[in-house]
Each structure stands twice: as structure tokens, then as C-alpha cells.
Amino acid sequence: MAFVVLSFLAKAVFGAALLRTELLPAWFGWVTILWNLGWLAILPVARPKEVYYPWLHYVALLLIGIALLVRG
């Protein structure tokens, strides 16, 4: 459980860092923040016994990576 909480929080902070840069449009940062904080709030309520779904941790990072490749 600690890994899941820290991982979602770290990626939310990463989204906040994207807002401060000019690498990508600001909506990428907001989507990253909302995605991670949203799942952090939903998972303990919806699935209190099993909160680790690995694919949830990679969706926002995959979108950011694709956007950076397309931009470059």
C-alpha cells in the first residue's frame, strides 16, 4: 500500500513540475495530476484489499513520453 501511495504522489508532483516547464502544453501536467490523485482517492474505496494495478502507474507517463517523441 505504501508503494502505491508514494508512487501516485510522486507522479502527481511530476505533473506539477510539467506545469512549470515549457516542454509540453499545460494540460499534460493537469491530466497527470488529476489522473494520479484521482486513482489515489478511488482505489482504496473501490478495492480496499487490492490497490496495486500496475498499468495505472504507466498511463500518464506513456502519454507524456509519446507527446515528447512527437514534439521532438
Side-chain angles (χ1 to χ4, degrees):
M1 177 74 165
F3 168 76
V4 173
V5 171
L6 291 174
S7 179
F8 279 129
L9 288 176
K11 286 189 291 295
V13 170
F14 182 69
L18 279 176
L19 290 174
R20 308 242 339 158
T21 67
E22 306 250 337
L23 289 173
L24 294 171
W27 69 267
F28 278 98
W30 286 113
V31 167
T32 303
I33 292 168
L34 294 175
W35 173 268
N36 288 294
L37 293 182
W39 280 113
L40 185 59
I42 291 170
L43 279 178
V45 174
R47 300 280 187 179
K49 299 226 188 275
E50 180 60 46
V51 295
Y52 181 62
Y53 294 95
W55 65 273
L56 292 175
H57 296 277
Y58 298 113
V59 172
L61 298 176
L62 179 65
L63 291 175
I64 291 167
I66 291 170
L68 287 171
L69 285 173
V70 169
R71 181 182 167 265

